[in-house]
Amino acid sequence: MADILFVLTGTDVWTLNDGTKHPTGFWAEEAVVPYQALTAAGHRVTVATPGGVVPVADRASLTDPAIAAALEAIAEFRRPLVLAEVDPADYDAVFYPGGHGPMEDLAVDADSGRLLTKALASGRPLGVVCHGPAALLAARTEDGGSPFAGYRLTGFTNAEEIQAGLADRAPWLLQDRLVALGADFEEGAPWAPHSVVDRNLVTGQNPASSALVATGLLELLKA
């Protein structure tokens, strides 16, 4: 049995260009589907958030009754650890789901950035999906660069953000920022399942890619 750390956003809003606070949080499917896959395989999940706040699911992600019911049944999401107090060395794998929330807090969270830098360097499996890769922007090497520079990865694309209707109001677009930090961004068809594995990093493009990321983590845990 492996111990897996889920790091979730602690915010329920995303500040848009005009200062509007857009209601958000984490995307339920992106947390529930990997949780179910990993725990069904016998692994144990612990949750952490900035400040240890109880994470909030984006209401738009709860329209599927099965996902909403499954989320309600997961006790771990209601008792998160304080992210700043977590040592990734205590876990066999780390996973970041998305939702627009990470664009607000994890993208600039130094504690999360340090955790990601250590997790990547450890060689242990690291999974990130959809807008979760926004958290990678806060990770830094000792020389100030990104530890994810040169890695093949994916995440929520510009095309998907445009189709979702928020691109023109977003302070920045995730794909642009990931390319700017030096990542080799691989874009799949909008909304279709797409996952990229590079060394110990497993990334997924969108909510539909959550199961692929979970499968990738499971394969790396077996290795």
Side-chain angles (χ1 to χ4, degrees), residues 50-145:
V53 302
V54 176
V56 174
D58 189 316
R59 292 183 63 83
S61 70
L62 299 175
T63 55
D64 182 339
I67 290 292
L71 179 61
E72 183 65 26
I74 300 174
E76 288 88 344
F77 289 95
R78 295 191 293 276
R79 50 176 189 241
L81 302 178
V82 176
L83 180 58
E85 299 174 358
V86 170
D87 184 348
D90 294 335
Y91 299 91
D92 302 293
V94 175
F95 172 69
Y96 279 64
H100 279 112
M103 302 277 281
E104 181 81 7
D105 63 352
L106 296 178
V108 294
D109 189 291
D111 295 316
S112 174
R114 284 189 289 270
L115 186 147
L116 283 164
T117 300
K118 291 178 181 178
L120 187 70
S122 75
R124 298 185 183 97
L126 171 59
V128 196
V129 68
C130 198
H131 287 93
L136 308 188
L137 303 176
R140 292 287 181 270
T141 56
E142 289 185 1
D143 63 4

Side-chain angles (χ1 to χ4, degrees), residues 92-94 119-128 136 141 146-154 181-186 195-203 213 215-223:
D92 302 293
V94 175
L120 187 70
S122 75
R124 298 185 183 97
L126 171 59
V128 196
L136 308 188
T141 56
S146 171
F148 295 94
Y151 272 78
R152 295 170 44 247
L153 53 75
T154 190
L181 66 76
D184 180 6
F185 191 94
E186 297 190 4
S195 180
V196 176
V197 181
D198 187 353
R199 287 159 277 184
N200 61 318
L201 178 65
V202 185
T203 52
V213 174
T215 298
L217 287 174
L218 287 169
E219 288 301 314
L220 288 177
L221 285 167
K222 293 176 185 175

